[in-house]
Amino acid sequence: MGIGLLGFQTTIANSVTLGGTGVHSGAEVAITFHPAEPDSGIVFQRVDGERTISEFRAVSSQVGNTDLCTVLGFSSSTSIATIEHVMAAIYALGLDNLLIEVQGAEMPIMDGSSAPFIEAIEQTGIKALAVKRRYIRILKPVRIESGPSWSEFTPYDGMRFEVEIDFDCPLIGRQAWKGDITPSVFKTELSRARTFGFMRDVERMWAAGRGLGSSLENSVVIADDNTVINIEGLRYTDEFVRHKTLDAVGDLALAGTPFIGCYRSYRGGHKMNANALKALMSDPTAYEIVETPTRRQRVGPREVVAVNAP
């Protein structure tokens, strides 16, 4: 199935700020999206008042911890955590260049989904830049396995995700989501899917200093009797796999540029997503860098051309 590809890089029209609670730290945090110049990429900057603590480009080589969330950086004193929901929104809307200023150590969890970030970005507007966009086109399968779990990239004329989960919980069980990622598909089918967890894991996570900001306002919580505690229930009947797909979109956005291909996973997660991306990037025969011609604003995936890119 074909997709529409933008020929030019993008950024946002104006700066926009959001605030909320860090799901793991429990601390109040604020982030500001700023427009950025062409070829800047997505850059996270951790600040304390006017002082810059650290700066990371959102690429796989900068990924540290992947337990429960995706973290940029390798030291808790400088790292920036829980970036996956923000990166999913950025990737799905086709943004190439942003400076994200972070007052705190992690992203605000908001309602546990990507929807608030989508809304903020759309309100400020997206602006095209006069520089061609590049893509990573998958040329051959790349697969990793870990016990019963596996993830793989395969060639495909589109940006496709096929994610399957299998939980030993009758409420969740085995669920799958498949589809080509476009702004419209992401917004309607994935963006509102919230993070989820089990009540039985709460005390263990708190003892480890994690999940301190988690609540029924930002997480779907499953009780010991395998029912949803949240009064409003689920936003989608299969919200669990849709959120896992949302996470995968955000994790794979750390390729540093959009990919043309299909990503499939079974019983995956942040670590599997990160390791699959690293496996792909470590095999230069598995992909090529391509860009769209500028004669039209939107083209099909077969019309992109290979380039010599860094």
Side-chain angles (χ1 to χ4, degrees), residues 9 11 20-21 37 62 72 76 115 144:
Q9 295 182 27
T11 188
T21 303
E37 295 298 314
Q62 299 300 305
L72 292 177
S76 60
I144 64 167

Side-chain angles (χ1 to χ4, degrees), residues 47-121:
V47 299
D48 182 5
E50 299 297 320
R51 182 172 66 95
T52 299
I53 297 174
S54 58
E55 186 173 288
F56 303 99
R57 187 159 180 168
V59 293
S60 60
S61 62
Q62 299 300 305
V63 173
N65 194 350
T66 52
D67 294 332
L68 301 179
C69 68
T70 298
V71 179
L72 292 177
F74 304 91
S75 167
S76 60
S77 61
T78 59
S79 62
I80 301 173
T82 325
I83 66 166
E84 57 271 13
H85 301 171
V86 172
M87 289 302 299
I90 290 169
Y91 185 92
L93 291 179
L95 282 167
D96 302 285
N97 306 288
L98 283 178
L99 173 63
I100 304 173
E101 189 179 73
V102 187
Q103 293 277 356
E106 65 177 319
M107 298 294 100
I109 191 62
M110 309 307 286
D111 70 345
S113 76
S114 286
F117 305 115
I118 292 280
E119 182 179 353
I121 291 169

Side-chain angles (χ1 to χ4, degrees), residues 163 165 171-172 174-178 189-190 193 196 234-245:
V163 175
I165 60 175
L171 177 65
I172 304 176
R174 194 162 183 167
Q175 299 180 0
W177 187 90
K178 302 177 181 180
E189 298 194 27
L190 300 175
F196 62 92
L234 298 176
R235 293 178 175 177
Y236 310 89
T237 56
D238 56 351
E239 186 168 358
F240 307 104
V241 72
R242 290 176 190 256
H243 185 79
K244 285 291 189 179
T245 306

